[in-house]
Amino acid sequence: MSLTGFASLGIHTHTVKRLSELGIQEPSQIQADAIPPALSGRDVVAQSQTGTGKTLAYALPVLQKLAVAQREVQALILVPTRELGMQIVHTLEELTKGTDVRIQQLIGGASIERQIDKLRLKPHIVVGTPGRVQE
């Protein structure tokens, strides 16, 4: 039996199932091109039009490589705008629903004290704008 879809790219079965629950069956071209080298630990520089699935192209390998039992930041995703940061956090939360993966956003326009308090809870992934991350 040959693997198809996201499974053929090396994505774990439970993630493929979650993607299917979200109505995502087949990888886009950018995902098919970027996921395998990212999973193998290679650096990836990729470019694609808006709406082609770039977030999943890097988020799926990041999620797959997390050691969830380790309560520490394992990935930092820097974003240029608050809006993009919130979109990425929403996507990550949807993908990890029902798991122990912890995600924290560090973006302006929200209480820095609350964000620092949540960092003390040791999220696995931090999504932030450069200015707020530097603060």
Side-chain angles (χ1 to χ4, degrees):
M1 178 177 163
S2 70
L3 298 175
T4 62
F6 284 95
S8 70
L9 302 179
I11 299 299
H12 289 151
T13 305
H14 59 87
T15 304
V16 172
K17 181 178 181 230
R18 182 66 188 137
L19 288 166
S20 181
E21 290 168 359
L22 294 169
I24 304 168
Q25 304 293 330
E26 293 295 324
S28 67
Q29 189 61 55
I30 189 71
Q31 293 160 354
D33 292 343
I35 289 173
L39 285 174
S40 72
R42 294 183 24 224
D43 291 338
V44 176
V45 177
Q47 182 176 340
S48 186
Q49 295 285 77
T50 299
T52 57
K54 292 182 296 293
T55 300
L56 290 183
Y58 65 81
L60 293 175
V62 165
L63 291 172
Q64 190 150 310
K65 290 183 168 283
L66 289 180
V68 179
Q70 293 179 353
R71 295 288 301 262
E72 62 187 14
V73 175
Q74 298 171 44
L76 171 63
I77 300 170
L78 286 176
V79 296
T81 66
R82 290 188 296 193
E83 294 77 15
L84 182 58
M86 291 186 303
Q87 288 175 8
I88 291 169
V89 166
H90 176 73
T91 297
L92 290 169
E93 287 174 344
E94 285 295 315
L95 289 170
T96 60
K97 192 174 189 175
T99 72
D100 293 328
V101 174
R102 302 176 63 83
I103 301 152
Q104 173 61 43
Q105 62 184 8
L106 295 179
I107 58 172
S111 166
I112 192 166
E113 291 81 17
R114 286 192 62 207
Q115 290 177 356
I116 290 170
D117 287 344
K118 288 187 177 186
L119 277 177
R120 290 188 179 107
L121 299 175
K122 307 212 177 187
H124 298 101
I125 302 172
V126 171
V127 179
T129 54
R132 183 50 61 100
V133 169
Q134 186 175 14
E135 283 181 74

